[in-house]
mmCIF file of all heavy atoms in Angstrom:
data_model
loop_
_atom_site.group_PDB
_atom_site.id
_atom_site.type_symbol
_atom_site.label_atom_id
_atom_site.label_comp_id
_atom_site.label_asym_id
_atom_site.label_seq_id
_atom_site.Cartn_x
_atom_site.Cartn_y
_atom_site.Cartn_z
ATOM 1 N N TRP T 7 34.887 -242.507 -114.974
ATOM 2 C CA TRP T 7 33.720 -242.924 -114.201
ATOM 3 C C TRP T 7 32.490 -243.002 -115.097
ATOM 4 O O TRP T 7 31.421 -242.562 -114.745
ATOM 5 C CB TRP T 7 33.467 -241.962 -113.046
ATOM 6 C CG TRP T 7 34.611 -241.943 -112.105
ATOM 7 C CD1 TRP T 7 35.563 -240.994 -112.018
ATOM 8 C CD2 TRP T 7 34.962 -242.952 -111.166
ATOM 9 N NE1 TRP T 7 36.493 -241.330 -111.077
ATOM 10 C CE2 TRP T 7 36.140 -242.539 -110.532
ATOM 11 C CE3 TRP T 7 34.399 -244.169 -110.801
ATOM 12 C CZ2 TRP T 7 36.766 -243.291 -109.551
ATOM 13 C CZ3 TRP T 7 35.029 -244.908 -109.824
ATOM 14 C CH2 TRP T 7 36.191 -244.468 -109.216
ATOM 15 N N GLY T 8 32.698 -243.638 -116.239
ATOM 16 C CA GLY T 8 31.618 -243.771 -117.213
ATOM 17 C C GLY T 8 30.518 -244.695 -116.732
ATOM 18 O O GLY T 8 30.395 -245.016 -115.557
ATOM 19 N N ALA T 9 29.722 -245.159 -117.655
ATOM 20 C CA ALA T 9 28.520 -245.918 -117.349
ATOM 21 C C ALA T 9 28.793 -247.186 -116.560
ATOM 22 O O ALA T 9 27.968 -247.609 -115.768
ATOM 23 C CB ALA T 9 27.790 -246.258 -118.647
ATOM 24 N N GLY T 10 29.942 -247.823 -116.737
ATOM 25 C CA GLY T 10 30.207 -249.071 -116.021
ATOM 26 C C GLY T 10 31.445 -249.027 -115.160
ATOM 27 O O GLY T 10 31.841 -250.039 -114.592
ATOM 28 N N GLY T 11 32.068 -247.883 -115.016
ATOM 29 C CA GLY T 11 33.312 -247.786 -114.257
ATOM 30 C C GLY T 11 33.151 -248.101 -112.791
ATOM 31 O O GLY T 11 33.988 -248.766 -112.182
ATOM 32 N N TRP T 12 32.061 -247.648 -112.185
ATOM 33 C CA TRP T 12 31.856 -247.907 -110.766
ATOM 34 C C TRP T 12 31.575 -249.372 -110.499
ATOM 35 O O TRP T 12 31.936 -249.901 -109.444
ATOM 36 C CB TRP T 12 30.758 -247.016 -110.211
ATOM 37 C CG TRP T 12 29.406 -247.278 -110.811
ATOM 38 C CD1 TRP T 12 28.908 -246.763 -111.955
ATOM 39 C CD2 TRP T 12 28.420 -248.145 -110.278
ATOM 40 N NE1 TRP T 12 27.648 -247.262 -112.184
ATOM 41 C CE2 TRP T 12 27.316 -248.117 -111.160
ATOM 42 C CE3 TRP T 12 28.344 -248.950 -109.151
ATOM 43 C CZ2 TRP T 12 26.165 -248.849 -110.948
ATOM 44 C CZ3 TRP T 12 27.189 -249.683 -108.939
ATOM 45 C CH2 TRP T 12 26.125 -249.624 -109.827
ATOM 46 N N ILE T 13 30.964 -250.063 -111.475
ATOM 47 C CA ILE T 13 30.714 -251.503 -111.312
ATOM 48 C C ILE T 13 32.041 -252.260 -111.342
ATOM 49 O O ILE T 13 32.277 -253.154 -110.530
ATOM 50 C CB ILE T 13 29.756 -252.012 -112.407
ATOM 51 C CG1 ILE T 13 28.388 -251.366 -112.246
ATOM 52 C CG2 ILE T 13 29.635 -253.526 -112.352
ATOM 53 C CD1 ILE T 13 27.426 -251.666 -113.363
ATOM 54 N N ALA T 14 32.913 -251.879 -112.244
ATOM 55 C CA ALA T 14 34.222 -252.529 -112.314
ATOM 56 C C ALA T 14 35.022 -252.262 -111.046
ATOM 57 O O ALA T 14 35.700 -253.156 -110.526
ATOM 58 C CB ALA T 14 34.987 -252.028 -113.538
ATOM 59 N N MET T 15 34.933 -251.032 -110.534
ATOM 60 C CA MET T 15 35.647 -250.706 -109.309
ATOM 61 C C MET T 15 35.127 -251.540 -108.135
ATOM 62 O O MET T 15 35.911 -252.099 -107.355
ATOM 63 C CB MET T 15 35.493 -249.220 -108.976
ATOM 64 C CG MET T 15 36.220 -248.821 -107.703
ATOM 65 S SD MET T 15 35.817 -247.169 -107.133
ATOM 66 C CE MET T 15 34.095 -247.346 -106.732
ATOM 67 N N LEU T 16 33.825 -251.679 -107.992
ATOM 68 C CA LEU T 16 33.247 -252.482 -106.913
ATOM 69 C C LEU T 16 33.618 -253.959 -107.058
ATOM 70 O O LEU T 16 33.896 -254.630 -106.064
ATOM 71 C CB LEU T 16 31.733 -252.310 -106.879
ATOM 72 C CG LEU T 16 31.217 -250.971 -106.368
ATOM 73 C CD1 LEU T 16 29.699 -250.910 -106.474
ATOM 74 C CD2 LEU T 16 31.657 -250.728 -104.938
ATOM 75 N N ALA T 17 33.625 -254.443 -108.288
ATOM 76 C CA ALA T 17 33.993 -255.838 -108.516
ATOM 77 C C ALA T 17 35.444 -256.088 -108.131
ATOM 78 O O ALA T 17 35.760 -257.105 -107.494
ATOM 79 C CB ALA T 17 33.750 -256.218 -109.975
ATOM 80 N N MET T 18 36.340 -255.163 -108.489
ATOM 81 C CA MET T 18 37.749 -255.321 -108.123
ATOM 82 C C MET T 18 37.931 -255.250 -106.605
ATOM 83 O O MET T 18 38.712 -256.012 -106.027
ATOM 84 C CB MET T 18 38.596 -254.255 -108.819
ATOM 85 C CG MET T 18 38.789 -254.533 -110.299
ATOM 86 S SD MET T 18 39.929 -253.410 -111.089
ATOM 87 C CE MET T 18 38.950 -251.922 -111.180
ATOM 88 N N MET T 19 37.200 -254.372 -105.946
ATOM 89 C CA MET T 19 37.291 -254.288 -104.486
ATOM 90 C C MET T 19 36.766 -255.568 -103.844
ATOM 91 O O MET T 19 37.366 -256.090 -102.895
ATOM 92 C CB MET T 19 36.493 -253.079 -103.975
ATOM 93 C CG MET T 19 37.159 -251.760 -104.238
ATOM 94 S SD MET T 19 36.155 -250.330 -103.767
ATOM 95 C CE MET T 19 35.738 -250.688 -102.091
ATOM 96 N N PHE T 20 35.667 -256.101 -104.346
ATOM 97 C CA PHE T 20 35.081 -257.326 -103.811
ATOM 98 C C PHE T 20 36.044 -258.496 -103.948
ATOM 99 O O PHE T 20 36.294 -259.226 -102.982
ATOM 100 C CB PHE T 20 33.758 -257.623 -104.536
ATOM 101 C CG PHE T 20 33.131 -258.921 -104.120
ATOM 102 C CD1 PHE T 20 32.511 -259.038 -102.887
ATOM 103 C CD2 PHE T 20 33.163 -260.018 -104.963
ATOM 104 C CE1 PHE T 20 31.926 -260.234 -102.508
ATOM 105 C CE2 PHE T 20 32.591 -261.209 -104.581
ATOM 106 C CZ PHE T 20 31.967 -261.319 -103.350
ATOM 107 N N PHE T 21 36.613 -258.679 -105.124
ATOM 108 C CA PHE T 21 37.537 -259.786 -105.332
ATOM 109 C C PHE T 21 38.843 -259.574 -104.558
ATOM 110 O O PHE T 21 39.448 -260.535 -104.080
ATOM 111 C CB PHE T 21 37.800 -260.012 -106.815
ATOM 112 C CG PHE T 21 36.620 -260.609 -107.512
ATOM 113 C CD1 PHE T 21 35.978 -259.918 -108.512
ATOM 114 C CD2 PHE T 21 36.134 -261.856 -107.156
ATOM 115 C CE1 PHE T 21 34.874 -260.458 -109.154
ATOM 116 C CE2 PHE T 21 35.040 -262.404 -107.783
ATOM 117 C CZ PHE T 21 34.400 -261.701 -108.791
ATOM 118 N N GLY T 22 39.258 -258.341 -104.384
ATOM 119 C CA GLY T 22 40.423 -258.066 -103.556
ATOM 120 C C GLY T 22 40.179 -258.443 -102.104
ATOM 121 O O GLY T 22 41.044 -259.025 -101.439
ATOM 122 N N LEU T 23 38.981 -258.124 -101.599
ATOM 123 C CA LEU T 23 38.640 -258.514 -100.239
ATOM 124 C C LEU T 23 38.539 -260.029 -100.095
ATOM 125 O O LEU T 23 38.902 -260.583 -99.057
ATOM 126 C CB LEU T 23 37.341 -257.839 -99.807
ATOM 127 C CG LEU T 23 37.425 -256.338 -99.549
ATOM 128 C CD1 LEU T 23 36.043 -255.766 -99.269
ATOM 129 C CD2 LEU T 23 38.362 -256.049 -98.396
ATOM 130 N N LEU T 24 38.037 -260.701 -101.114
ATOM 131 C CA LEU T 24 37.985 -262.170 -101.083
ATOM 132 C C LEU T 24 39.381 -262.773 -101.000
ATOM 133 O O LEU T 24 39.624 -263.711 -100.243
ATOM 134 C CB LEU T 24 37.263 -262.714 -102.319
ATOM 135 C CG LEU T 24 35.747 -262.666 -102.303
ATOM 136 C CD1 LEU T 24 35.196 -263.209 -103.618
ATOM 137 C CD2 LEU T 24 35.194 -263.453 -101.138
ATOM 138 N N VAL T 25 40.301 -262.226 -101.776
ATOM 139 C CA VAL T 25 41.684 -262.723 -101.742
ATOM 140 C C VAL T 25 42.299 -262.459 -100.368
ATOM 141 O O VAL T 25 42.956 -263.336 -99.789
ATOM 142 C CB VAL T 25 42.519 -262.072 -102.869
ATOM 143 C CG1 VAL T 25 43.996 -262.354 -102.692
ATOM 144 C CG2 VAL T 25 42.035 -262.557 -104.222
ATOM 145 N N LEU T 26 42.063 -261.275 -99.814
ATOM 146 C CA LEU T 26 42.581 -260.950 -98.489
ATOM 147 C C LEU T 26 42.003 -261.882 -97.425
ATOM 148 O O LEU T 26 42.728 -262.399 -96.569
ATOM 149 C CB LEU T 26 42.273 -259.496 -98.142
ATOM 150 C CG LEU T 26 42.757 -259.006 -96.787
ATOM 151 C CD1 LEU T 26 44.278 -259.054 -96.721
ATOM 152 C CD2 LEU T 26 42.251 -257.612 -96.531
ATOM 153 N N ALA T 27 40.706 -262.137 -97.476
ATOM 154 C CA ALA T 27 40.073 -263.051 -96.523
ATOM 155 C C ALA T 27 40.636 -264.458 -96.673
ATOM 156 O O ALA T 27 40.835 -265.170 -95.685
ATOM 157 C CB ALA T 27 38.560 -263.055 -96.723
ATOM 158 N N GLY T 28 40.920 -264.864 -97.899
ATOM 159 C CA GLY T 28 41.519 -266.179 -98.126
ATOM 160 C C GLY T 28 42.888 -266.293 -97.481
ATOM 161 O O GLY T 28 43.206 -267.317 -96.865
ATOM 162 N N PHE T 29 43.699 -265.246 -97.587
ATOM 163 C CA PHE T 29 45.014 -265.261 -96.953
ATOM 164 C C PHE T 29 44.899 -265.303 -95.429
ATOM 165 O O PHE T 29 45.651 -266.007 -94.765
ATOM 166 C CB PHE T 29 45.850 -264.055 -97.383
ATOM 167 C CG PHE T 29 46.492 -264.214 -98.727
ATOM 168 C CD1 PHE T 29 46.254 -263.294 -99.729
ATOM 169 C CD2 PHE T 29 47.333 -265.279 -98.998
ATOM 170 C CE1 PHE T 29 46.834 -263.427 -100.973
ATOM 171 C CE2 PHE T 29 47.919 -265.429 -100.235
ATOM 172 C CZ PHE T 29 47.670 -264.505 -101.235
ATOM 173 N N VAL T 30 43.948 -264.556 -94.882
ATOM 174 C CA VAL T 30 43.759 -264.559 -93.431
ATOM 175 C C VAL T 30 43.323 -265.944 -92.960
ATOM 176 O O VAL T 30 43.851 -266.474 -91.976
ATOM 177 C CB VAL T 30 42.743 -263.477 -93.013
ATOM 178 C CG1 VAL T 30 42.323 -263.642 -91.564
ATOM 179 C CG2 VAL T 30 43.317 -262.093 -93.245
ATOM 180 N N LEU T 31 42.368 -266.562 -93.658
ATOM 181 C CA LEU T 31 41.918 -267.901 -93.282
ATOM 182 C C LEU T 31 43.035 -268.927 -93.421
ATOM 183 O O LEU T 31 43.163 -269.833 -92.586
ATOM 184 C CB LEU T 31 40.711 -268.305 -94.124
ATOM 185 C CG LEU T 31 39.424 -267.552 -93.822
ATOM 186 C CD1 LEU T 31 38.332 -267.933 -94.817
ATOM 187 C CD2 LEU T 31 38.972 -267.816 -92.398
ATOM 188 N N LEU T 32 43.847 -268.808 -94.450
ATOM 189 C CA LEU T 32 44.979 -269.717 -94.620
ATOM 190 C C LEU T 32 45.963 -269.557 -93.470
ATOM 191 O O LEU T 32 46.446 -270.553 -92.913
ATOM 192 C CB LEU T 32 45.682 -269.438 -95.953
ATOM 193 C CG LEU T 32 46.937 -270.259 -96.242
ATOM 194 C CD1 LEU T 32 46.585 -271.729 -96.399
ATOM 195 C CD2 LEU T 32 47.625 -269.734 -97.481
ATOM 196 N N PHE T 33 46.246 -268.330 -93.072
ATOM 197 C CA PHE T 33 47.156 -268.081 -91.953
ATOM 198 C C PHE T 33 46.603 -268.674 -90.659
ATOM 199 O O PHE T 33 47.332 -269.322 -89.904
ATOM 200 C CB PHE T 33 47.394 -266.578 -91.813
ATOM 201 C CG PHE T 33 48.262 -266.219 -90.651
ATOM 202 C CD1 PHE T 33 49.630 -266.434 -90.706
ATOM 203 C CD2 PHE T 33 47.722 -265.685 -89.491
ATOM 204 C CE1 PHE T 33 50.451 -266.108 -89.640
ATOM 205 C CE2 PHE T 33 48.525 -265.365 -88.414
ATOM 206 C CZ PHE T 33 49.891 -265.584 -88.494
ATOM 207 N N VAL T 34 45.315 -268.467 -90.394
ATOM 208 C CA VAL T 34 44.701 -269.006 -89.181
ATOM 209 C C VAL T 34 44.753 -270.527 -89.189
ATOM 210 O O VAL T 34 45.081 -271.157 -88.178
ATOM 211 C CB VAL T 34 43.248 -268.500 -89.036
ATOM 212 C CG1 VAL T 34 42.486 -269.256 -87.953
ATOM 213 C CG2 VAL T 34 43.242 -267.011 -88.742
ATOM 214 N N TRP T 35 44.461 -271.131 -90.326
ATOM 215 C CA TRP T 35 44.511 -272.596 -90.428
ATOM 216 C C TRP T 35 45.927 -273.115 -90.186
ATOM 217 O O TRP T 35 46.107 -274.116 -89.484
ATOM 218 C CB TRP T 35 44.003 -273.033 -91.800
ATOM 219 C CG TRP T 35 44.086 -274.506 -92.006
ATOM 220 C CD1 TRP T 35 43.250 -275.462 -91.509
ATOM 221 C CD2 TRP T 35 45.087 -275.202 -92.756
ATOM 222 N NE1 TRP T 35 43.663 -276.693 -91.910
ATOM 223 C CE2 TRP T 35 44.789 -276.576 -92.676
ATOM 224 C CE3 TRP T 35 46.186 -274.793 -93.492
ATOM 225 C CZ2 TRP T 35 45.564 -277.528 -93.297
ATOM 226 C CZ3 TRP T 35 46.954 -275.752 -94.107
ATOM 227 C CH2 TRP T 35 46.647 -277.094 -94.015
ATOM 228 N N LEU T 36 46.922 -272.446 -90.750
ATOM 229 C CA LEU T 36 48.304 -272.879 -90.554
ATOM 230 C C LEU T 36 48.726 -272.768 -89.090
ATOM 231 O O LEU T 36 49.386 -273.666 -88.558
ATOM 232 C CB LEU T 36 49.249 -272.055 -91.435
ATOM 233 C CG LEU T 36 49.198 -272.359 -92.930
ATOM 234 C CD1 LEU T 36 50.037 -271.353 -93.702
ATOM 235 C CD2 LEU T 36 49.679 -273.770 -93.197
ATOM 236 N N VAL T 37 48.344 -271.681 -88.431
ATOM 237 C CA VAL T 37 48.706 -271.499 -87.026
ATOM 238 C C VAL T 37 48.018 -272.550 -86.163
ATOM 239 O O VAL T 37 48.636 -273.157 -85.286
ATOM 240 C CB VAL T 37 48.360 -270.070 -86.553
ATOM 241 C CG1 VAL T 37 48.442 -269.947 -85.045
ATOM 242 C CG2 VAL T 37 49.267 -269.064 -87.223
ATOM 243 N N ARG T 38 46.726 -272.797 -86.415
ATOM 244 C CA ARG T 38 45.996 -273.778 -85.608
ATOM 245 C C ARG T 38 46.512 -275.190 -85.841
ATOM 246 O O ARG T 38 46.593 -275.978 -84.898
ATOM 247 C CB ARG T 38 44.506 -273.711 -85.906
ATOM 248 C CG ARG T 38 43.878 -272.431 -85.379
ATOM 249 C CD ARG T 38 42.426 -272.408 -85.599
ATOM 250 N NE ARG T 38 41.809 -273.214 -84.567
ATOM 251 C CZ ARG T 38 40.515 -273.393 -84.457
ATOM 252 N NH1 ARG T 38 39.708 -272.854 -85.335
ATOM 253 N NH2 ARG T 38 40.011 -274.123 -83.482
ATOM 254 N N SER T 39 46.843 -275.542 -87.057
ATOM 255 C CA SER T 39 47.335 -276.889 -87.311
ATOM 256 C C SER T 39 48.746 -277.070 -86.754
ATOM 257 O O SER T 39 49.106 -278.162 -86.317
ATOM 258 C CB SER T 39 47.304 -277.210 -88.803
ATOM 259 O OG SER T 39 48.146 -276.338 -89.520
ATOM 260 N N ALA T 40 49.536 -275.999 -86.711
ATOM 261 C CA ALA T 40 50.883 -276.098 -86.150
ATOM 262 C C ALA T 40 50.849 -276.185 -84.627
ATOM 263 O O ALA T 40 51.732 -276.778 -84.017
ATOM 264 C CB ALA T 40 51.721 -274.900 -86.578
ATOM 265 N N SER T 41 49.810 -275.610 -84.004
ATOM 266 C CA SER T 41 49.729 -275.625 -82.543
ATOM 267 C C SER T 41 48.921 -276.794 -82.018
ATOM 268 O O SER T 41 48.665 -276.867 -80.827
ATOM 269 C CB SER T 41 49.127 -274.314 -82.046
ATOM 270 O OG SER T 41 47.780 -274.221 -82.436
ATOM 271 N N GLY T 42 48.487 -277.686 -82.857
ATOM 272 C CA GLY T 42 47.767 -278.864 -82.386
ATOM 273 C C GLY T 42 46.263 -278.749 -82.466
ATOM 274 O O GLY T 42 45.559 -279.517 -81.844
ATOM 275 N N GLY T 43 45.744 -277.797 -83.183
ATOM 276 C CA GLY T 43 44.305 -277.680 -83.358
ATOM 277 C C GLY T 43 43.645 -276.872 -82.260
ATOM 278 O O GLY T 43 44.282 -276.328 -81.371
ATOM 279 N N ALA T 44 42.320 -276.819 -82.309
ATOM 280 C CA ALA T 44 41.550 -276.045 -81.347
ATOM 281 C C ALA T 44 41.494 -276.787 -80.017
ATOM 282 O O ALA T 44 41.674 -277.980 -79.929
ATOM 283 C CB ALA T 44 40.142 -275.802 -81.876
ATOM 284 N N GLY T 45 41.198 -276.071 -78.971
ATOM 285 C CA GLY T 45 41.026 -276.684 -77.666
ATOM 286 C C GLY T 45 42.312 -276.911 -76.911
ATOM 287 O O GLY T 45 42.389 -277.793 -76.069
ATOM 288 N N GLY T 46 43.348 -276.160 -77.216
ATOM 289 C CA GLY T 46 44.577 -276.267 -76.465
ATOM 290 C C GLY T 46 45.342 -277.543 -76.698
ATOM 291 O O GLY T 46 46.031 -278.026 -75.821
ATOM 292 N N GLY T 47 45.231 -278.121 -77.864
ATOM 293 C CA GLY T 47 46.004 -279.301 -78.177
ATOM 294 C C GLY T 47 45.347 -280.608 -77.798
ATOM 295 O O GLY T 47 45.948 -281.659 -77.897
ATOM 296 N N ARG T 48 44.105 -280.583 -77.342
ATOM 297 C CA ARG T 48 43.407 -281.818 -77.002
ATOM 298 C C ARG T 48 42.317 -282.092 -78.020
ATOM 299 O O ARG T 48 41.146 -282.215 -77.673
ATOM 300 C CB ARG T 48 42.768 -281.714 -75.627
ATOM 301 C CG ARG T 48 43.735 -281.832 -74.514
ATOM 302 C CD ARG T 48 42.977 -282.031 -73.252
ATOM 303 N NE ARG T 48 43.859 -281.901 -72.115
ATOM 304 C CZ ARG T 48 43.449 -281.800 -70.886
ATOM 305 N NH1 ARG T 48 42.177 -281.797 -70.623
ATOM 306 N NH2 ARG T 48 44.305 -281.694 -69.908
ATOM 307 N N GLY T 49 42.682 -282.165 -79.267
ATOM 308 C CA GLY T 49 41.708 -282.400 -80.321
ATOM 309 C C GLY T 49 41.279 -283.852 -80.373
ATOM 310 O O GLY T 49 41.747 -284.710 -79.634
ATOM 311 N N TYR T 50 40.352 -284.135 -81.251
ATOM 312 C CA TYR T 50 39.834 -285.482 -81.406
ATOM 313 C C TYR T 50 40.954 -286.430 -81.804
ATOM 314 O O TYR T 50 41.741 -286.152 -82.671
ATOM 315 C CB TYR T 50 38.745 -285.480 -82.483
ATOM 316 C CG TYR T 50 38.196 -286.851 -82.768
ATOM 317 C CD1 TYR T 50 37.328 -287.451 -81.877
ATOM 318 C CD2 TYR T 50 38.574 -287.540 -83.905
ATOM 319 C CE1 TYR T 50 36.830 -288.707 -82.127
ATOM 320 C CE2 TYR T 50 38.082 -288.792 -84.159
ATOM 321 C CZ TYR T 50 37.209 -289.376 -83.263
ATOM 322 O OH TYR T 50 36.720 -290.619 -83.510
ATOM 323 N N GLY T 51 41.025 -287.561 -81.131
ATOM 324 C CA GLY T 51 42.016 -288.567 -81.467
ATOM 325 C C GLY T 51 43.379 -288.331 -80.847
ATOM 326 O O GLY T 51 44.298 -289.072 -81.117
ATOM 327 N N ARG T 52 43.507 -287.337 -80.006
ATOM 328 C CA ARG T 52 44.797 -287.063 -79.387
ATOM 329 C C ARG T 52 44.909 -287.856 -78.090
ATOM 330 O O ARG T 52 43.950 -288.078 -77.388
ATOM 331 C CB ARG T 52 44.960 -285.587 -79.107
ATOM 332 C CG ARG T 52 44.987 -284.779 -80.372
ATOM 333 C CD ARG T 52 45.738 -283.496 -80.121
ATOM 334 N NE ARG T 52 45.871 -282.788 -81.369
ATOM 335 C CZ ARG T 52 46.972 -282.792 -82.089
ATOM 336 N NH1 ARG T 52 48.012 -283.445 -81.696
ATOM 337 N NH2 ARG T 52 47.037 -282.130 -83.208
ATOM 338 N N HIS T 53 46.119 -288.243 -77.764
ATOM 339 C CA HIS T 53 46.388 -288.992 -76.555
ATOM 340 C C HIS T 53 46.526 -288.024 -75.393
ATOM 341 O O HIS T 53 47.266 -287.052 -75.469
ATOM 342 C CB HIS T 53 47.669 -289.810 -76.736
ATOM 343 C CG HIS T 53 48.008 -290.644 -75.556
ATOM 344 N ND1 HIS T 53 47.293 -291.766 -75.221
ATOM 345 C CD2 HIS T 53 48.959 -290.510 -74.608
ATOM 346 C CE1 HIS T 53 47.805 -292.291 -74.132
ATOM 347 N NE2 HIS T 53 48.817 -291.543 -73.731
ATOM 348 N N ASP T 54 45.802 -288.289 -74.305
ATOM 349 C CA ASP T 54 45.837 -287.418 -73.137
ATOM 350 C C ASP T 54 46.601 -288.119 -72.017
ATOM 351 O O ASP T 54 46.116 -289.100 -71.451
ATOM 352 C CB ASP T 54 44.419 -287.089 -72.700
ATOM 353 C CG ASP T 54 44.355 -285.968 -71.689
ATOM 354 O OD1 ASP T 54 45.432 -285.475 -71.300
ATOM 355 O OD2 ASP T 54 43.241 -285.590 -71.315
#
């Protein structure tokens, strides 16, 4: 825990959280695109 150890630890935690958030957003995008988008499948350009 020298002069810069806590900075490196915070940076690794920050980038780890960014990677985790990226995976969550990718999962949400995949689920929404597989289910027909937002709005229960009545997205823009869809035939009703």
